[in-house]
Amino acid sequence: MADQMVVESETVARQLERALTTKQPIPPLTETLGPLTPEQAYAIQTRWTELRIAQGERVIGRKIGLTSRAMQEQLGVREPDYGSLWASRFFPACGGRAEIPTEILIQPRLEGEIAFLIGRRLEGPGVTLQQVLAATEAVALSVEIVDSRIEAWRIKLADTIADDASFGAFTVGPWSRALAREDLRTVGMIIHKNGEVATEGIGAAALGHPARCVAWLANKLAEFGIALEPGDIVLSGSLARALPANRGDVFVVELHGQPPLTVHFV
């Protein structure tokens, strides 16, 4: 059974990589393979990451998904999931503006989040919210582009886990030590799409506190023998609903006390 799972992980990882490069989504894995446990789905994700690293990719951090109660209820789960941040999908913001090439994406959606820059090693189990804040070098306004290699976003938990937690791309604003000392639960966010207010959120939307999400991640990674290392970037989860994005769309994301971050899909 273990050997069979290794073979299936290899096969499915290559299917996901092919979907990524050809921009041709695949049917839900939970339909083609049948029920998958989270452990099996993480095995697929891990193998896909290994394949990408072998091709020259670098992992520069982690992303956390399913941090809102609404999304957890929608997928019938009680905890978040995580994926890897790929260096090739990081688009730096110059002068507060980042350009995201739509040709690398399939069915993108934009999320506004708070990013953490890890300053000291965090290794679970037992990592607490307070330990996360103590180990954080700085935080920043961030934008994650979630994308799915699964047809029409017809995902269950195992589908999104295997698909690198539906990671597509990301950018971050200026890192701030001052913001890291504020009560991140109460920090408000507004997202404009093409000049109109599209959604609003607050830090508490992510498991009650964005740092609690990072603590969850550190403890979850410990199950796989992984720690958060200095220099890692962690996207802690969306503070508001995801917004569909198309070529030409311009989003302006504002986080209280921080410079606005403009994202243009080109």
Side-chain angles (χ1 to χ4, degrees), residues 166-203:
S166 303
F167 170 65
F170 79 107
T171 187
V172 297
W175 293 103
S176 170
R177 288 188 173 90
L179 180 60
R181 295 191 293 269
E182 293 190 20
D183 186 349
L184 297 178
R185 296 174 301 174
T186 63
V187 174
M189 174 180 285
I190 300 176
I191 303 179
H192 291 76
K193 179 179 180 180
N194 300 329
E196 302 289 337
V197 174
T199 190
E200 301 178 16
I202 192 169

Side-chain angles (χ1 to χ4, degrees), residues 62-121:
R62 309 284 174 176
K63 62 146 292 181
I64 309 170
L66 305 180
T67 54
S68 73
R69 185 179 302 275
M71 282 302 300
Q72 290 183 8
E73 290 176 351
Q74 181 178 330
L75 292 185
V77 298
R78 295 184 178 180
E79 70 173 26
D81 68 347
Y82 77 86
S84 296
L85 299 178
W86 304 330
S88 65
R89 294 297 183 100
F90 171 52
F91 297 92
C94 298
R97 184 183 183 91
E99 294 191 340
I100 308 294
T102 53
E103 66 265 18
I104 67 170
L105 303 166
I106 300 174
Q107 43 195 342
R109 300 174 181 178
L110 178 142
E111 294 181 343
E113 310 191 12
I114 293 175
F116 286 68
L117 181 62
I118 304 302
R120 295 204 303 269
R121 194 170 197 260

